[in-house]
Amino acid sequence: MPSSLRLEKITPDNVDAALALRVQPHQEKNVAPVATSLAEAYAFGDTAWPRLIFDGDELVGFLMAFIDIRWAKEDDPDARRSGLWRLNIGADRQGKGYGRFAVDAVREEIRRRGARQFHVTWEPGEDGPEEFYLKLGFRRTGEVSGGQTVGVLEV
């Protein structure tokens, strides 16, 4: 992956470009738009970690991680997890390694913060990202969260 790849915080200077980012039309049912993610990031405060993915000066994607979020409150009120909440790679930028870069960057952030597991959820079914996550080493946990398959990767 070229060294020109980097993550940036969302700022007043780049928020409009972030909001304009679109995935492939057939993928829209599988991932919320950036605007929804930014609203959730605002609502979830310190547990949400939204970032833009740049290749040089070009915006190529958006990711949002969750850091130490309360999980399955009804089963275990103390359970906490970290992982990838959203990944939106621009429609014309897919298949170039940006998704892998994003997952690696989140994995490194989670490791830096002391977590041992990296969780992700995905929409099951046709055109979903399951194959992508399984190729990166995630394994299905057997759990479902909000109708989505839950995967985990040791960090």
Side-chain angles (χ1 to χ4, degrees):
M1 203 73 298
S3 61
S4 62
L5 293 179
R6 69 185 187 287
L7 298 182
E8 286 191 12
K9 290 181 178 181
I10 291 83
T11 68
D13 292 332
N14 63 28
V15 70
D16 289 335
L19 294 172
L21 186 73
R22 298 288 181 270
V23 297
Q24 296 280 346
H26 68 276
Q27 297 169 327
E28 290 175 354
K29 68 184 184 300
N30 296 325
V31 65
V34 173
T36 300
S37 296
L38 292 179
E40 290 170 336
Y42 177 82
F44 282 86
D46 292 339
T47 60
W49 193 72
R51 295 293 185 269
L52 297 177
I53 307 161
F54 280 87
D55 187 351
D57 292 331
E58 182 183 2
L59 174 63
V60 298
F62 167 84
L63 68 81
M64 186 162 73
F66 55 92
I67 307 295
D68 201 30
I69 200 167
R70 291 184 67 202
W71 189 270
K73 295 173 228 171
E74 60 282 348
D75 297 334
D76 180 357
D78 296 324
R80 298 203 173 266
R81 290 186 180 176
S82 297
L84 184 61
W85 195 341
R86 295 276 158 61
L87 180 58
N88 305 56
I89 302 298
D92 60 341
R93 306 307 293 161
Q94 295 180 12
K96 300 178 190 308
Y98 299 129
R100 177 180 288 277
F101 168 80
V103 169
D104 287 346
V106 171
R107 185 179 187 178
E108 195 52 43
E109 181 67 17
I110 288 170
R111 179 184 295 131
R112 186 184 72 74
R113 292 177 184 233
R116 294 188 175 154
Q117 291 187 319
F118 177 179
H119 288 85
V120 66
T121 61
W122 63 81
E123 285 291 332
E126 190 176 339
D127 296 324
E130 179 172 88
E131 183 180 335
F132 169 75
Y133 290 119
L134 295 178
K135 280 183 180 178
L136 293 178
F138 287 91
R139 63 176 171 73
R140 291 178 210 90
T141 65
E143 298 170 271
V144 176
S145 176
Q148 296 187 334
T149 302
V150 178
V152 67
L153 179 69
E154 302 302 315
V155 297

